[in-house]
Structures are given as structure tokens and as C-alpha cells.
């Protein structure tokens, strides 16, 4: 890599990560107006401990994201298996229909979900948020797991069945372990999409049950406080720790692999 290439790469990394570093640092600044010079303090974390709205909405976001990741990963993996290993009418159309939910602006998707949920009587609330987040995450899971299927040889299952294994046992004993890294990656993708989702949550949340992005937006309208930096830092570090753990588990040989 040339010197110009290194400078360009460094500039991109600074552009991406400097705002995050500043946000985390300001959560430890004593001033509520981000005044300099910097004076280290944990007062905003103490204030966050007493902010029931932010904590409750943060817990809501994590709960919804975890449930979304589990449900979307199970349904998306089942769909990927059907699309990769089965032939049926409408297969091509179904594959094409998986792309628009990713490409369509979330504002349109949120409006459509709100209208549909009221028309069908589903309404708003946690159940509506779960349905909306799962529906939004499934296409990502199908794409990620489907890509993983492209790297797995189908004749491995056939070889297992030729040795006396049943189709179900061959899938769980041969294909599923090979597909595990893609499934874990898809689950993390679904978790991130749900945790970060604002538009769908804004349309489907109720005043008594909201998510952290919506609560942060409401708090900013009233006046930004470093408590938001504090909870954002906690979620960021927690997410990075979870990704690191899953990355260690998903690599060949798991955590015990010393290569």
C-alpha cells in the first residue's frame, strides 16, 4: 500500500471513529455543555442510574433485539434452507421479494406497517414492535445464511446419507455445523438492525412502551444531556464485547483454537 493509500485509509477510520470517541469522552466530562478543558467525572453515569426513562427504554430495546435476533434467525435460516435445497413454484419470485424490504426506505415501511397494523387490529405496542422488527430483519438473515450455503457442498449430506444417516440427521450433523458461522453472523446482524431501528419503532411504539432510539430522540428535543452519551457508551461497549465473544465462538475450533 502506498503512502497516499495509507493516508486515505487513516482519514476514513478517523472520520468513522472520531465522533464515537468524542461521544464516549464527553460522557466523562463534568460539564453538561461539553466545555473545555476536559474535567473527568462520572456524574453522568450516576445521573443515568436515576433516569428511569432511559434505562427502561434501553432494556426494552435489548429485549426486543434479542427476541428479534432469535426469531428472525430461526425463520430466516429455515427459509434459506428451502431456497438453497428445494425447488418449488414461485421460488424465483420469492427470492426477488426478499430484496425490496432492504431497499425500500424505512419511512415508507414504517408508514405501511402502521396502517396495516391498525387495519388488522394489531395496533401498537411491544407485540407490534416485535412483528415489525422481525419482518425487517428476516431478509438480512436469509441473505447472510444463503451466502453461507453457497460455500457448503451439497454432496456432503449425500455422503452422510449413503453411510446410513437420515436426511434430518445429515443436516444437523454435517450442514448445520458448517453453517454455524453464517447463522451467528446473521443473528448479530438481526440484533444490530433491531437495536438501531428508529423509524419502525417511532411509528409502532406507544407512550408507555418505547425503545432507546425513540427515547433519545424525545430527550434531544427537550435538551441534550451527557446521560445519553453514558448509556450510548454502555451499549457500545456491551455490543463490542458480545461481537468479540461470538467471533471467538464462531471461528473454526471455537475458543479453544490456538491457531
Amino acid at each position: 500500500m502506498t503512502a497516499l493509500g495509507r493516508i486515505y485509509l487513516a482519514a476514513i477510520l478517523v472520520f468513522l471513529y472520531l465522533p464515537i470517541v468524542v461521544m464516549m469522552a464527553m460522557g466523562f466530562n463534568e460539564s453538561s455543555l461539553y466545555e473545555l478543558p476536559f474535567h473527568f467525572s462520572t456524574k453522568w453515569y450516576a445521573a443515568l442510574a436515576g433516569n428511569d426513562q432511559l434505562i427502561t427504554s434501553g432494556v426494552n430495546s435489548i429485549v426486543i433485539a434479542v427476541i428479534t435476533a432469535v426469531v428472525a434467525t430461526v425463520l430466516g435460516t429455515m427459509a434459506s434452507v428451502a431456497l438453497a435445497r428445494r425447488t418449488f413454484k414461485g421460488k424465483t419470485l420469492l427470492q426477488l421479494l426478499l430484496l425490496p424490504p432492504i431497499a425500500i426506505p424505512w419511512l415508507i415501511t414504517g408508514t405501511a406497517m402502521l396502517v396495516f397494523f391498525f387495519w388488522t387490529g394489531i395496533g401498537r405496542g411491544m407485540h407490534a414492535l416485535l412483528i415489525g422488527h422481525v419482518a425487517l430483519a428476516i431478509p438480512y438473515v436469509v441473505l447472510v445464511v444463503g451466502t453461507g450455503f453457497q460455500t457448503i457442498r451439497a454432496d456432503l449430506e449425500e455422503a452422510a446419507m449413503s453411510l446410513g444417516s437420515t436426511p434430518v440427521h445429515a443436516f444437523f450433523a454435517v450442514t448445520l455445523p458448517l453453517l454455524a458461522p453464517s447463522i451467528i453472523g446473521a443473528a448479530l446482524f438481526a440484533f444490530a438492525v433491531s437495536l438501531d431501528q428508529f423509524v419502525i419503532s417511532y411509528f409502532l411504539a406507544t407512550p408507555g412502551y418505547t425503545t432507546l432510539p425513540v427515547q433519545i430522540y424525545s430527550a434531544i428535543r427537550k435538551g441534550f444531556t451527557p446521560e445519553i452519551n453514558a448509556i450510548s457508551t454502555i451499549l457500545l461497549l456491551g455490543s463490542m464485547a458480545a461481537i468479540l465473544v461470538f467471533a471467538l465462538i464462531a471461528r473454526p475450533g471455537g475458543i479453544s483454537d490456538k491457531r
Side-chain angles (χ1 to χ4, degrees):
M1 182 182 294
T2 64
L4 182 60
R6 292 191 182 95
I7 294 174
Y8 178 71
L9 179 59
I12 292 177
L13 293 176
V14 170
F15 178 79
L16 291 175
Y17 290 101
L18 183 60
I20 298 177
V21 173
V22 172
M23 180 272 297
M24 296 175 64
M26 287 301 116
F28 292 97
N29 191 8
E30 185 176 11
S31 173
S32 61
L33 301 176
Y34 306 125
E35 295 176 341
L36 296 176
F38 181 91
H39 296 286
F40 181 84
S41 174
T42 58
K43 62 182 291 187
W44 301 114
Y45 286 86
L48 174 63
N51 193 324
D52 294 335
Q53 290 183 330
L54 278 178
I55 293 177
T56 301
S57 60
V59 172
N60 292 343
S61 289
I62 293 175
V63 170
I64 292 175
V66 170
I67 297 176
T68 296
V70 173
V71 176
T73 301
V74 172
L75 296 179
T77 301
M78 293 171 61
S80 298
V81 173
L83 292 172
R85 298 295 169 83
R86 297 292 183 268
T87 301
F88 51 89
K89 292 183 179 180
K91 176 180 176 179
T92 303
L93 177 61
L94 182 59
Q95 289 175 317
L96 292 175
L97 290 176
L98 288 171
L99 297 178
I102 300 176
I104 294 176
W106 285 340
L107 179 62
I108 298 176
T109 303
T111 304
M113 284 186 178
L114 179 63
V115 174
F116 177 76
F117 285 178
F118 270 102
W119 179 64
T120 57
I122 297 176
R124 302 164 65 192
M126 179 180 181
H127 61 289
L129 285 170
L130 285 174
I131 296 173
H133 285 211
V134 169
L136 196 66
I138 285 178
Y140 293 94
V141 175
V142 173
L143 289 177
V144 173
V145 178
T147 302
F149 261 111
Q150 303 301 319
T151 64
I152 299 176
R153 294 169 49 187
D155 57 359
L156 293 177
E157 286 189 29
E158 298 174 359
M161 288 185 286
S162 69
L163 296 174
S165 179
T166 64
V168 174
H169 180 268
F171 173 78
F172 282 98
V174 178
T175 303
L176 193 61
L178 296 175
L179 201 62
S182 297
I183 295 176
I184 293 176
L188 291 174
F189 213 126
F191 179 86
V193 168
S194 175
L195 187 66
D196 189 51
Q197 183 54 242
F198 168 75
V199 178
I200 303 297
S201 300
Y202 184 79
F203 279 99
L204 301 181
T206 59
Y209 192 95
T210 187
T211 60
L212 184 60
V214 177
Q215 184 61 39
I216 289 177
Y217 172 75
S218 301
I220 290 176
R221 294 178 62 185
K222 299 176 183 177
F224 194 89
T225 66
E227 295 171 46
I228 297 176
N229 291 0
I231 194 170
S232 299
T233 301
I234 292 173
L235 286 177
L236 176 64
L237 295 178
S239 300
M240 293 176 61
I243 291 174
L244 178 61
V245 170
F246 279 114
L248 292 174
I249 295 175
R251 70 177 183 176
I255 298 178
S256 61
D257 190 1
K258 300 299 182 182
R259 290 178 297 174

